[in-house]
Amino acid sequence: MASGSTEHKPAWTPDRIFGFADSQVQGKALADLLGASFEIVDVHYFPDSECRVQLRGHAHRPAIYRPLHIPNAKLIEVILAASVLRDDGAKDIGLIAPYLPYMRQDIAFRPGEAVSQRVIGKLLAAHFDRFVSVDPHLHRTPTLDGVFGGKPSLALTGAPAMVQHLRDRNVSDNVLILGPDEESEPIVKAVAAPLDLPWALAKKVRKGDRDVQIALPEDVPLNRRSVIIVDDVISSGTTVITLTRAVRDLGAKTVDVYTTHALYDDRTADSFSMAGIRRVVSCDGIPHRSNDMSVAKIIADGLLACP
Ligand code: R5P
């Protein structure tokens, strides 16, 4: 889980952002907020599935913007894009990836497993000089620069956007902010504290990709209470569905969900309604139908706040 700020802050803003068609709106919005220019990276796929990447224009402080969900092809594309900037003489290339993939496998949980976080971190650190992300899933590696060999890294959080979203809607004081597990504590507290709302954490044991067991804290009254679940990422949706059923069984009045990264598909969204989730609100770092908070603002505010 990310904290609101981290070590080795960059004190850096790009003068040109290179983005991709799948996240053009957010990349352009970020460039506008930072007073940078924006250029689309042209990606051509050959019949054999290899890609050709082409960038136009020169930059002194370039950054590549791309959320790296569905990551495998995107990782190759951003690395090829960085190589063009390097060949053009850039000494300091930023990667602004609102979503960073492969962060959860930070150890070998079973013998023989690759430690994906370490491998992908090393790969990206060989091509980029600084990193910005939003709620990267940091657990056993406590800070983002630890993923990237000590290179300047800024881990931002979607929490202030969630707070603002709730304030704008006059969130009631009958609300409990609930995290699904201990790892969600920083983001849960960062939402609850400024709103002066009570918060609690459930305990989660993951048995499989779509199989989790959740135990609620015993001393939290849920009857007739509105619950807002806060988590950094929703992937299969199993966590929030299981948690929602548990709080509904104890009489929760409504359940809304706030997340930074929404990765789930439309079928899962239907299951959310059936489980009793009233609404999911996410940041638009990963373009998704639940988006209602601006990642460009989170990143621009974060970069501009650096001394
Ligand atoms: C877990 O460590 C994360 O914070 C999320 O709770 C988790 O990744 C959600 O996954 P899913 O939606 O597949 O249950």
Side-chain angles (χ1 to χ4, degrees):
M1 177 62 58
S3 58
S5 61
T6 190
E7 69 305 331
H8 293 126
K9 286 186 173 184
W12 160 92
T13 56
D15 62 350
R16 177 167 281 195
I17 293 178
F18 295 89
F20 290 75
D22 57 13
S23 47
Q24 179 173 358
V25 172
Q26 296 79 8
K28 171 87 170 61
L30 177 61
D32 289 347
L33 287 170
L34 294 175
S37 59
F38 181 79
E39 198 67 47
I40 276 283
V41 176
D42 186 59
V43 183
H44 172 77
Y45 267 85
F46 296 106
D48 59 7
S49 299
E50 289 184 10
C51 65
R52 180 189 64 211
V53 166
Q54 188 177 14
L55 276 67
R56 292 180 189 79
H58 179 77
H60 295 287
R61 295 186 313 281
I64 291 176
Y65 173 92
R66 196 171 207 190
L68 294 172
H69 59 300
I70 320 172
N72 297 352
K74 290 181 193 169
L75 283 167
I76 297 293
E77 292 169 15
V78 297
I79 285 170
L80 291 176
S83 79
V84 179
L85 298 170
R86 199 68 87 197
D87 290 348
D88 188 43
K91 300 264 181 296
D92 190 348
I93 305 170
L95 176 63
I96 302 175
Y99 180 77
L100 274 174
Y102 290 113
M103 291 295 109
R104 281 172 282 185
Q105 183 86 16
D106 57 1
I107 55 168
F109 293 96
R110 283 168 289 264
E113 287 181 349
V115 183
S116 316
Q117 185 192 89
R118 190 184 67 217
V119 176
I120 300 300
K122 210 168 164 187
L123 178 68
L124 289 170
H127 296 275
F128 292 90
D129 304 294
R130 60 180 67 243
F131 298 87
V132 179
S133 190
V134 184
D135 287 321
H137 194 89
L138 299 174
H139 186 206
R140 277 156 286 254
T141 311
T143 55
L144 190 58
D145 69 346
V147 174
F148 297 116
K151 290 196 168 182
S153 302
L154 182 62
L156 298 163
T157 173
M162 297 177 192
V163 169
Q164 194 56 53
H165 196 276
L166 288 163
R167 270 205 183 115
D168 291 347
R169 280 147 195 84
N170 296 319
V171 62
S172 110
D173 53 10
N174 185 34
V175 161
L176 173 76
I177 306 290
L178 184 61
D181 49 33
E182 285 162 7
E183 290 171 37
S184 64
E185 184 172 342
I187 196 167
V188 164
K189 278 184 175 169
V191 173
L195 295 168
D196 206 15
L197 289 171
W199 59 273
L201 301 177
K203 281 195 175 17
K204 178 169 90 178
V205 179
R206 184 172 286 282
K207 305 272 185 186
D209 290 344
R210 292 170 193 275
D211 183 8
V212 299
Q213 280 178 358
I214 288 193
L216 289 169
E218 279 169 17
D219 51 347
V220 181
L222 287 161
N223 196 27
R224 305 299 305 148
R225 198 146 207 186
S226 300
V227 171
I228 295 178
I229 297 172
V230 173
D231 203 2
D232 58 345
V233 53
I234 301 176
S235 177
S236 70
T238 309
T239 298
V240 290
I241 287 175
T242 309
L243 188 53
T244 299
R245 288 192 180 127
V247 297
R248 283 289 202 183
D249 284 351
L250 290 177
K253 192 164 74 167
T254 58
V255 178
D256 295 318
V257 178
Y258 277 70
T259 189
T260 306
H261 306 298
L263 291 164
Y264 60 93
D265 58 19
D266 286 354
R267 258 181 70 186
T268 305
D270 293 342
S271 314
F272 285 178
S273 313
M274 285 182 321
I277 294 172
R278 187 172 64 173
R279 186 175 188 205
V280 181
V281 181
S282 64
C283 299
D284 63 359
I286 295 174
H288 191 270
R289 64 193 243 183
S290 62
N291 290 164
D292 204 24
M293 298 177 285
S294 163
V295 83
K297 177 160 170 28
I298 295 167
I299 296 172
D301 287 350
L303 285 172
L304 294 172
C306 286

